[in-house]
Amino acid sequence: MRDTRQEKNLEKAIEAARDELHIMRRRGQEKANTRDHGHDYKAMEEARDKFDDYAGRVREDHEKERGTNRHGSRG
């Protein structure tokens, strides 16, 4: 099966969300010391930024498919 651009964007959004969740869970379980939190926080922010980017792309893909923009008007 050939992946479409929409599928790839959705897969990337899911991957970024899993990365952020993994970091959050590890931080909670290990109760990492303060210096480790800075590195973890930066990695979490990077994962969050990737998620936001790909989530926006997924939304745009859905809007193009429906023929509407996020405000509900045709465009």
Side-chain angles (χ1 to χ4, degrees):
M1 180 169 100
R2 199 181 100 215
D3 284 344
T4 65
R5 180 181 51 112
Q6 293 170 331
E7 289 170 335
K8 287 180 183 179
N9 286 337
L10 188 55
E11 286 174 358
K12 296 272 188 180
I14 292 167
E15 180 182 332
R18 283 188 180 138
D19 289 347
E20 183 179 356
L21 182 60
H22 173 75
I23 294 165
M24 289 177 69
R25 285 180 174 164
R26 188 181 71 227
R27 283 180 74 178
Q29 288 173 353
E30 294 177 358
K31 301 212 187 299
N33 64 34
T34 306
R35 73 167 189 257
D36 292 337
H37 278 295
H39 173 73
D40 285 347
Y41 189 77
K42 182 164 176 55
M44 226 170 37
E45 279 186 325
E46 289 172 2
R48 186 178 310 141
D49 289 345
K50 283 183 186 178
F51 173 78
D52 287 346
D53 180 49
Y54 284 106
R57 292 180 191 192
V58 168
R59 184 175 189 129
E60 289 171 4
D61 291 341
H62 288 291
E63 289 170 353
K64 285 177 187 174
E65 193 173 85
R66 288 188 359 203
T68 60
N69 63 26
R70 69 179 62 206
H71 303 291
S73 61
R74 301 247 175 229

